């Protein structure tokens, strides 16, 4: 029953969010808020973040902090670009997975076998990733090599040969573009739903489908199988797991290598989108993926929500610099909804004994809503520098709010040694 209630609450939350977005779109007149173009861009931007965060989830559920996701993504991009221009997309996919997995293996050797501090090892991989790929580019893409003749440079690989599959999901996108026509009417709610559905189903990359499927698969493996139970026990209390016969070292190795492979898959996606490897194309997505995982409380569902949020913020600022100001109005509406929910709980005595604290939070929320509404009315357009950093600012704000309710695995980051009880 608890799972059913949570599932229903999630659906109600999504419906309420779409309703608020539609209301903000009508009030502000910014059609890009719920346009299919914005959501298509958001999907492309959210996938690599989600895959990196999924990699972090696997490692940290096994008790290994992995801030080296960015470096592993870089390795995935380079190996995908190198293999893709020679043998096509399938080779790019395999090579990117292997490249990221090698980064994960290096992290596992340092942290699990030699007991190196997890943060130090992650930072080292973030430094090694770009350094190794630059060295390989200078060796393999220099003038006079076949790669250079095919269009490579020191900072870029030749384009991937062959075509990447970009299907449209059946029913929604086959035949006449009914969703596109309904979106163009700009009717309240109906056109918004049509734009969102069209953006999420029309001409999507094959890796998008794979990434979406990996979320429920990860949940099933980690929360519904004996292997997942062993892996999570290694992250909560490895010594208790050891006493029950679990090979904690092996579990941690598997988890961290899988973590690197998933981060590498995120790098492959970036290469598929741009059709080649370009130095620096990860652009900090590994770190944002880590933030999305933390925002999601080390769970696949929350991680998906975090990646979607950051992807949407990035997609909106790319589509329309003026539409970014609607975040002020959107934030004001959400704060007022929060105040309304708190008033309802006070009236039903759900917060008995916490009235003073709640009144303070409600007052702060009302003040914040007033300030945000005033900013929306007075600011016509943000400077380009602020527009560009919108996703990163949003990342910090969300983590600041979410940090009040987080619970990381108890043994996350703890150096494990067999037989040494803590």
């Amino acid at each position: 029953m608890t799972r059913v209630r949570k599932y229903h609450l999630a659906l109600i939350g999504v419906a309420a969010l779409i309703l608020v977005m539609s209301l903000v779109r009508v009030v502000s007149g910014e059609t890009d808020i719920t346009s299919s173009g914005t959501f298509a861009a958001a999907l492309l931007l959210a996938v690599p973040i989600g895959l990196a965060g999924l990699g972090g989830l696997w490692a940290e559920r096994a008790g290994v902090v992995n801030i080296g996701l960015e470096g592993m993504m870089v390795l995935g991009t380079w190996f995908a670009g190198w293999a893709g221009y020679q043998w096509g997309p399938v080779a790019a996919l395999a090579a990117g997975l292997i490249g990221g997995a090698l980064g994960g293996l290096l992290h596992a050797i340092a942290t699990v076998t030699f007991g190196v501090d997890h943060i130090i090892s992650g930072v080292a991989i973030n430094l090694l990733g770009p350094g190794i790929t630059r060295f390989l580019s200078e060796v393999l893409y220099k003038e006079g090599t076949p790669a250079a003749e095919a269009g490579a440079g020191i900072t870029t690989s030749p384009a991937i040969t062959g075509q990447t599959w970009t299907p449209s999901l059946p029913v929604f996108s086959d035949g006449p573009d009914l969703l596109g026509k309904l979106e163009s009417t700009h009717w309240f709610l109906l056109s918004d739903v049509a734009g969102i559905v069209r953006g999420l189903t029309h001409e999507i990359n094959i890796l998008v489908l794979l990434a979406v499927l990996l979320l429920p698969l990860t949940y099933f493996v980690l929360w519904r199988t004996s292997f997942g139970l062993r892996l999570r026990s290694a992250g909560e209390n490895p010594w208790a797991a050891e006493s029950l016969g679990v090979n904690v070292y092996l579990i941690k190795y598997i988890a961290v290598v899988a973590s690197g492979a998933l981060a590498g898959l995120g790098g492959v996606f970036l290469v598929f989108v741009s059709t080649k490897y370009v130095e620096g194309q990860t652009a900090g997505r590994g770190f944002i993926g880590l933030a999305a995982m933390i925002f999601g409380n080390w769970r696949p569902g929350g991680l998906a929500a975090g990646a979607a949020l950051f992807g949407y913020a990035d997609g909106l600022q790319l589509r329309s610099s003026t539409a970014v100001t609607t975040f002020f109005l959107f934030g004001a509406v959400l704060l007022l909804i929060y105040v309304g929910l708190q008033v309802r709980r006070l009236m039903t005595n759900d917060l008995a004994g916490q009235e003073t604290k709640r009144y303070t939070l409600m007052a702060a929320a009302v003040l914040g809503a007033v300030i945000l509404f005033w900013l929306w009315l007075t600011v016509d357009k943000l400077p380009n520098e602020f527009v560009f950093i919108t996703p990163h600012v949003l990342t910090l704000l969300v983590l600041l709010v979410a940090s009040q309710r987080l619970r990381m695995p108890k043994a996350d980051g703890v150096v494990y040694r067999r037989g040494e009880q803590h």
Side-chain angles (χ1 to χ4, degrees):
M1 290 296 292
T2 303
R3 286 200 299 273
V4 173
R5 285 200 296 271
K6 286 182 178 179
Y7 177 73
H8 286 169
L9 285 174
L11 289 178
I12 293 170
V14 170
L17 186 61
I18 294 174
L19 183 63
V20 171
M21 292 174 74
S22 182
L23 177 65
V24 171
R25 192 264 304 170
V26 171
V27 172
S28 66
E30 294 286 353
T31 57
D32 275 320
I33 291 174
T34 56
S35 71
S36 57
T38 297
F39 274 85
L43 186 62
L44 292 177
L45 293 163
V47 167
I49 293 172
L51 287 170
L54 206 55
L57 175 69
W58 274 77
E60 301 213 8
R61 276 294 174 180
V64 179
V65 174
N66 189 1
I67 67 167
L69 295 168
E70 178 76 7
M72 296 171 194
M73 282 189 80
V74 171
L75 291 171
T77 58
W78 190 91
F79 280 100
W82 171 75
Y85 90 89
Q86 299 180 84
W87 304 296
V90 175
L93 176 61
L97 285 168
I98 292 170
L102 288 174
L105 178 63
L106 179 61
H107 189 48
I109 291 171
T111 56
V112 179
T113 301
F114 293 103
V116 174
D117 183 272
H118 298 189
I119 303 298
I120 293 173
S121 176
V123 170
I125 289 173
N126 286 334
L127 295 174
L128 280 172
I132 290 172
T133 54
R134 185 58 181 270
F135 170 76
L136 291 172
S137 292
E138 290 182 353
V139 172
L140 299 176
Y141 296 159
K142 64 183 178 182
E143 266 188 64
T145 61
E149 294 173 3
I154 296 301
T155 60
T156 181
S157 71
I160 295 177
T161 58
Q163 296 292 321
T164 55
W165 185 37
T166 55
S168 294
L169 294 184
V171 180
F172 294 115
S173 299
D174 285 354
D177 190 7
L178 299 178
L179 290 174
K181 292 177 181 177
L182 183 57
E183 179 189 358
S184 64
T185 63
H186 302 306
W187 292 339
F188 175 73
L189 194 59
L190 287 178
S191 64
D192 301 292
V193 172
I196 293 170
V197 173
R198 186 174 186 273
L200 298 179
T201 58
H202 188 64
E203 294 184 353
I204 55 176
N205 192 290
I206 186 65
L207 285 186
V208 173
L209 294 175
L210 179 59
V212 171
L213 291 174
L214 281 172
L215 288 165
L217 179 62
T218 292
Y219 174 79
F220 175 77
V221 171
L222 296 188
W223 273 269
R224 290 291 180 267
T225 67
S226 57
F227 169 78
L229 179 61
R230 293 187 185 99
L231 188 146
R232 288 185 292 117
S233 68
E236 295 291 339
N237 191 330
W239 294 277
E242 170 195 309
S243 69
L244 296 174
V246 175
N247 188 336
V248 175
Y249 286 125
L250 179 61
I251 289 288
K252 286 178 179 287
Y253 260 89
I254 292 172
V256 180
V257 171
S259 171
L262 288 166
L265 184 60
V268 174
F269 181 82
L270 295 174
V271 173
F272 273 32
V273 170
S274 62
T275 71
K276 60 182 178 180
Y277 160 77
V278 179
E279 188 174 80
Q281 69 191 137
T282 56
R285 288 180 176 86
F287 298 112
I288 299 178
L290 188 65
M293 181 212 52
I294 296 171
F295 165 79
N297 206 15
W298 288 265
R299 287 181 173 270
L303 161 64
L309 173 65
F310 304 139
Y312 177 77
D314 209 0
L316 187 61
Q317 64 95 4
L318 288 175
R319 290 280 299 180
S320 172
S321 58
T322 57
V324 173
T325 58
T326 59
F327 278 125
F328 295 135
L329 179 59
F330 193 66
V333 173
L334 290 180
L335 286 174
L336 291 177
I337 291 173
Y338 168 79
V339 171
L341 292 173
Q342 294 303 311
V343 169
R344 180 176 176 276
R345 293 182 69 184
L346 283 170
M347 292 176 65
T348 56
N349 293 321
D350 283 352
L351 300 174
Q354 305 177 40
E355 288 85 354
T356 303
K357 178 181 178 182
R358 294 298 173 178
Y359 280 130
T360 303
L361 289 174
M362 288 165 59
V366 170
L367 178 61
V370 170
I371 292 173
L372 288 174
F373 188 71
W374 174 76
L375 286 171
W376 175 69
L377 289 174
T378 56
V379 177
D380 293 326
K381 183 179 178 181
L382 290 172
N384 289 334
E385 295 80 6
F386 286 101
V387 172
F388 180 73
I389 66 171
T390 298
H392 305 285
V393 173
L394 189 63
T395 301
L396 293 174
L397 291 176
V398 166
L399 284 178
L400 181 64
V401 174
S403 63
Q404 307 303 315
R405 58 171 183 81
L406 300 179
R407 194 199 78 81
M408 64 190 296
K410 289 182 180 178
D412 197 15
V414 175
V415 176
Y416 164 76
R417 283 291 173 267
R418 183 178 288 133
E420 294 181 2
Q421 273 288 358
H422 281 214

